[in-house]
């Protein structure tokens, strides 16, 4: 193994069936601790794109915080999952459709009840969310578009964090920081001579390190997307869709 390459963990057969949207769907008609835990994990991971959607709809920060919190309280407590089916498949699609229905039909009542009737079922860092929202692009992006972009960027952030952690666990955190710019650079723009100098290796070794990093990032990004689809056969389509969202 090249000295600049972190170990690359691979999926076990059980990986796809432990914390995924597929678990939630398969158990939606019965009480299941695994399903509940999977749903809560997914909600904690992907709540910010929904907060950004609510804000872009014109709600104040305070109302957006209350509405997002109440939406997840309803999602975790009630039978919203009965409306989800494997034919729909994607957690992204289920969430935004459910949120739109919630806002259209129940937001006045939600404001009155405030965060699940006073019981916060899912702790959300809403102060950080508003700070993030203030850095969003200008208002010419629709609420749906900002949701999709934030969803895709959340997946990218999670993949980046996992990759950073892998390098850190291998004692190569500094190598990751030096190689990281290569993940977003076009192949023809990668300065291998400079990278080799920064890593203290020859140029062929630098090229191998960059190739392995980019390959591992694609794998991890795909794995993160796999958490959000009901069927492994849907992963490639979702990858293509999210890449197209980021490209526009």
């Amino acid at each position: 193994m090249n000295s600049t390459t972190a170990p690359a963990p691979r999926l076990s057969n059980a990986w796809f069936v432990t914390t995924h949207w597929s678990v939630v769907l398969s158990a939606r008609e019965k009480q299941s601790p695994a399903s509940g835990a999977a749903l809560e994990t997914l909600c904690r991971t992907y709540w910010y794109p929904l907060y950004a959607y609510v804000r872009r709809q014109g709600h104040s920060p305070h109302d957006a915080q209350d509405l997002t919190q109440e939406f997840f309280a309803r999602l975790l407590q009630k039978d919203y999952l009965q409306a989800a089916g494997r034919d729909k498949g994607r957690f992204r699609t289920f969430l935004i459709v459910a949120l739109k229905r919630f806002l259209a039909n129940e937001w006045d009542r939600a404001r009155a009840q405030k965060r699940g009737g006073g019981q916060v079922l899912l702790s959300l860092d809403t102060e950080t969310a508003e700070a993030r929202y203030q850095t969003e692009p200008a208002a010419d992006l629709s609420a749906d578009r900002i949701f999709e972009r934030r969803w895709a960027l959340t997946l990218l952030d999670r993949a980046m964090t996992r990759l950073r952690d892998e390098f850190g666990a291998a004692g190569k955190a500094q190598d990751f920081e030096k190689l990281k710019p290569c993940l977003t650079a076009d192949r023809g723009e990668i300065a291998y001579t400079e990278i080799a100098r920064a890593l203290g290796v020859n140029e062929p070794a630098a090229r191998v390190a960059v190739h392995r990093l980019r390959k591992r990032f694609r794998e991890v990004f795909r794995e993160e997307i796999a958490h959000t689809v009901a069927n492994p056969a849907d992963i490639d389509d979702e990858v293509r869709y999210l890449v197209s969202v980021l490209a526009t």
Side-chain angles (χ1 to χ4, degrees):
M1 179 180 292
N2 185 275
S3 62
T4 62
T5 304
R10 291 298 182 266
L11 296 178
S12 68
N13 290 333
W15 180 86
F16 191 81
V17 294
T18 54
T19 62
H20 291 67
W21 178 229
S22 58
V23 174
V24 179
L25 286 179
S26 65
R28 69 184 184 278
E29 295 181 358
K30 61 182 182 295
Q31 295 295 324
S32 168
S35 176
L39 180 58
E40 183 170 342
T41 297
L42 289 166
C43 290
R44 288 185 185 279
T45 301
Y46 297 109
W47 69 271
Y48 175 72
L50 296 180
Y51 175 86
Y53 177 90
V54 176
R55 283 287 283 118
R56 192 53 60 101
Q57 289 281 47
H59 296 289
S60 69
H62 183 269
D63 282 348
Q65 291 167 15
D66 283 344
L67 287 165
T68 306
Q69 184 70 261
E70 179 64 18
F71 171 72
F72 281 119
R74 304 278 185 95
L75 189 67
L76 293 170
Q77 281 186 321
K78 297 191 176 182
D79 295 329
Y80 280 25
L81 291 177
Q82 298 305 315
R86 287 186 175 274
D87 57 328
K88 298 185 175 72
R90 291 162 174 78
F91 188 53
R92 167 177 58 82
T93 302
F94 165 74
L95 272 187
I96 194 61
V97 170
L99 178 66
K100 287 178 178 180
R101 289 174 179 166
F102 169 78
L103 293 175
N105 300 325
E106 303 188 56
W107 86 277
D108 285 324
R109 192 188 331 171
R111 289 183 65 195
Q113 292 180 349
K114 297 291 186 183
R115 302 175 187 261
Q119 181 182 10
V120 178
L121 297 182
L122 193 67
S123 177
L124 306 177
D125 188 0
T126 50
E127 290 186 7
T128 300
E130 182 56 24
R132 289 175 65 186
Y133 181 77
Q134 292 301 325
T135 67
E136 295 290 358
D140 56 348
L141 280 181
S142 69
D144 285 277
R145 198 61 177 168
I146 200 169
F147 166 78
E148 291 179 338
R149 284 187 59 80
R150 278 300 136 193
W151 186 274
L153 288 169
T154 297
L155 285 160
L156 283 177
D157 288 344
R158 286 182 59 79
M160 186 73 77
T161 297
R162 279 184 56 190
L163 201 55
R164 180 183 291 109
D165 289 346
E166 288 180 9
F167 272 76
K172 300 183 183 298
Q174 292 185 352
D175 286 350
F176 176 77
E177 295 303 321
K178 295 168 184 175
L179 288 165
K180 182 173 65 174
C182 300
L183 290 172
T184 55
D186 292 334
R187 288 188 180 275
E189 297 176 350
I190 298 175
Y192 290 105
T193 301
E194 295 180 10
I195 293 169
R197 187 180 304 113
L199 295 175
V201 298
N202 59 33
E203 186 169 326
R207 289 180 178 274
V208 170
V210 170
H211 170 76
R212 289 178 175 173
L213 176 78
R214 290 165 68 105
K215 180 175 183 290
R216 180 59 184 153
F217 182 80
R218 289 192 297 270
E219 292 171 347
V220 173
F221 183 54
R222 193 171 186 277
E223 289 169 13
E224 288 299 322
I225 289 175
H227 283 276
T228 70
V229 298
N231 191 314
D234 295 330
I235 296 174
D236 288 336
D237 284 343
E238 187 72 346
V239 169
R240 285 190 289 269
Y241 177 76
L242 294 175
V243 169
S244 73
V245 167
L246 292 169
T248 57

mmCIF file of all heavy atoms in Angstrom, residues 7 16 20 29 58 125 162 188 246:
data_model
loop_
_atom_site.group_PDB
_atom_site.id
_atom_site.type_symbol
_atom_site.label_atom_id
_atom_site.label_comp_id
_atom_site.label_asym_id
_atom_site.label_seq_id
_atom_site.Cartn_x
_atom_site.Cartn_y
_atom_site.Cartn_z
ATOM 1 N N PRO A 7 -6.366 3.085 4.674
ATOM 2 C CA PRO A 7 -7.109 1.853 4.450
ATOM 3 C C PRO A 7 -8.504 2.165 3.944
ATOM 4 O O PRO A 7 -9.115 3.146 4.332
ATOM 5 C CB PRO A 7 -7.149 1.210 5.849
ATOM 6 C CG PRO A 7 -6.009 1.826 6.585
ATOM 7 C CD PRO A 7 -5.878 3.205 6.043
ATOM 8 N N PHE A 16 -26.059 -2.855 4.240
ATOM 9 C CA PHE A 16 -27.201 -2.230 3.583
ATOM 10 C C PHE A 16 -28.481 -2.361 4.392
ATOM 11 O O PHE A 16 -29.437 -1.631 4.162
ATOM 12 C CB PHE A 16 -27.420 -2.835 2.189
ATOM 13 C CG PHE A 16 -28.408 -2.051 1.373
ATOM 14 C CD1 PHE A 16 -28.009 -0.901 0.707
ATOM 15 C CD2 PHE A 16 -29.731 -2.439 1.300
ATOM 16 C CE1 PHE A 16 -28.923 -0.154 -0.023
ATOM 17 C CE2 PHE A 16 -30.649 -1.693 0.567
ATOM 18 C CZ PHE A 16 -30.240 -0.557 -0.096
ATOM 19 N N HIS A 20 -30.693 1.943 7.081
ATOM 20 C CA HIS A 20 -31.101 2.516 5.818
ATOM 21 C C HIS A 20 -32.605 2.757 5.731
ATOM 22 O O HIS A 20 -33.403 2.221 6.479
ATOM 23 C CB HIS A 20 -30.665 1.607 4.663
ATOM 24 C CG HIS A 20 -29.189 1.564 4.465
ATOM 25 N ND1 HIS A 20 -28.341 1.017 5.375
ATOM 26 C CD2 HIS A 20 -28.421 2.033 3.470
ATOM 27 C CE1 HIS A 20 -27.100 1.131 4.937
ATOM 28 N NE2 HIS A 20 -27.124 1.750 3.786
ATOM 29 N N GLU A 29 -45.126 -1.204 8.741
ATOM 30 C CA GLU A 29 -46.455 -1.624 9.182
ATOM 31 C C GLU A 29 -46.434 -2.286 10.549
ATOM 32 O O GLU A 29 -47.459 -2.772 11.009
ATOM 33 C CB GLU A 29 -47.042 -2.579 8.139
ATOM 34 C CG GLU A 29 -47.293 -1.915 6.794
ATOM 35 C CD GLU A 29 -47.902 -2.849 5.785
ATOM 36 O OE1 GLU A 29 -48.087 -4.042 6.146
ATOM 37 O OE2 GLU A 29 -48.207 -2.409 4.665
ATOM 38 N N GLY A 58 -40.586 31.430 2.682
ATOM 39 C CA GLY A 58 -40.940 32.726 3.233
ATOM 40 C C GLY A 58 -41.206 32.755 4.723
ATOM 41 O O GLY A 58 -41.541 33.810 5.276
ATOM 42 N N ASP A 125 -30.021 21.444 15.674
ATOM 43 C CA ASP A 125 -29.199 22.635 15.902
ATOM 44 C C ASP A 125 -29.707 23.766 15.020
ATOM 45 O O ASP A 125 -29.112 24.106 14.003
ATOM 46 C CB ASP A 125 -27.736 22.316 15.599
ATOM 47 C CG ASP A 125 -26.797 23.453 15.996
ATOM 48 O OD1 ASP A 125 -27.297 24.477 16.502
ATOM 49 O OD2 ASP A 125 -25.591 23.314 15.785
ATOM 50 N N ARG A 162 -16.399 11.101 6.207
ATOM 51 C CA ARG A 162 -15.990 9.704 6.344
ATOM 52 C C ARG A 162 -14.592 9.482 5.808
ATOM 53 O O ARG A 162 -13.773 8.769 6.428
ATOM 54 C CB ARG A 162 -16.974 8.811 5.607
ATOM 55 C CG ARG A 162 -18.251 8.510 6.362
ATOM 56 C CD ARG A 162 -19.118 7.536 5.604
ATOM 57 N NE ARG A 162 -18.416 6.295 5.298
ATOM 58 C CZ ARG A 162 -18.890 5.355 4.479
ATOM 59 N NH1 ARG A 162 -20.058 5.538 3.871
ATOM 60 N NH2 ARG A 162 -18.202 4.252 4.259
ATOM 61 N N GLY A 188 -6.916 17.274 -15.630
ATOM 62 C CA GLY A 188 -5.867 18.029 -16.280
ATOM 63 C C GLY A 188 -5.333 19.186 -15.462
ATOM 64 O O GLY A 188 -4.312 19.790 -15.823
ATOM 65 N N LEU A 246 -25.950 19.021 -8.756
ATOM 66 C CA LEU A 246 -24.766 19.797 -8.363
ATOM 67 C C LEU A 246 -24.125 20.507 -9.555
ATOM 68 O O LEU A 246 -23.437 21.506 -9.378
ATOM 69 C CB LEU A 246 -23.746 18.864 -7.708
ATOM 70 C CG LEU A 246 -24.149 18.302 -6.360
ATOM 71 C CD1 LEU A 246 -23.193 17.184 -5.946
ATOM 72 C CD2 LEU A 246 -24.184 19.386 -5.294
#
